[in-house]
Amino acid sequence: MAQRMDFFFFFGSLYSYLSVMRVEALAASAGVELRWRPFNVRAIMVEQDNIPRRNPVKMQYLWRDTERRARRHGIAFNGRLLVIGFAGGAWLVFG
């Protein structure tokens, strides 16, 4: 039986986008079964009063950091995220 990796993600997260775009290939190359585990990070952030949309400086950093990380990993990112499909039990978000 192959090892299993639980992959937790939030479909509205810029950082989840970067991970979703890479995780299947990484799991396949390691011979690991991937189990998609959506969760609501927004609820956790609200509980901690960490709401980026209310902080323009933080939002600017998040977008810039996402652009930088996408470039590093060769992932297409045009500054917009659109939900366009459902696969592996999870909504996939592409830029």
Side-chain angles (χ1 to χ4, degrees), residues 15-87:
Y15 294 108
S16 283
Y17 165 73
L18 296 172
S19 298
V20 163
M21 297 303 291
R22 299 169 44 226
V23 71
E24 285 187 318
L26 293 170
S29 70
V32 175
E33 177 187 340
L34 188 62
R35 188 164 80 168
W36 296 82
R37 304 288 304 262
F39 78 107
N40 187 354
V41 73
R42 188 167 291 143
I44 296 167
M45 293 173 77
V46 167
E47 184 177 303
Q48 296 177 345
D49 196 29
N50 178 11
I51 304 167
R53 340 182 258 282
R54 294 184 187 164
N55 183 337
V57 173
K58 187 169 192 167
M59 284 304 299
Q60 184 178 18
Y61 174 81
L62 287 171
W63 286 104
R64 193 169 134 223
D65 190 39
T66 301
E67 289 171 352
R68 181 176 47 241
R69 289 173 185 244
R71 202 170 31 255
R72 178 189 312 154
H73 295 292
I75 298 170
F77 181 73
N78 63 7
R80 293 180 299 164
L81 296 180
L82 303 170
V83 177
I84 65 166
F86 192 78

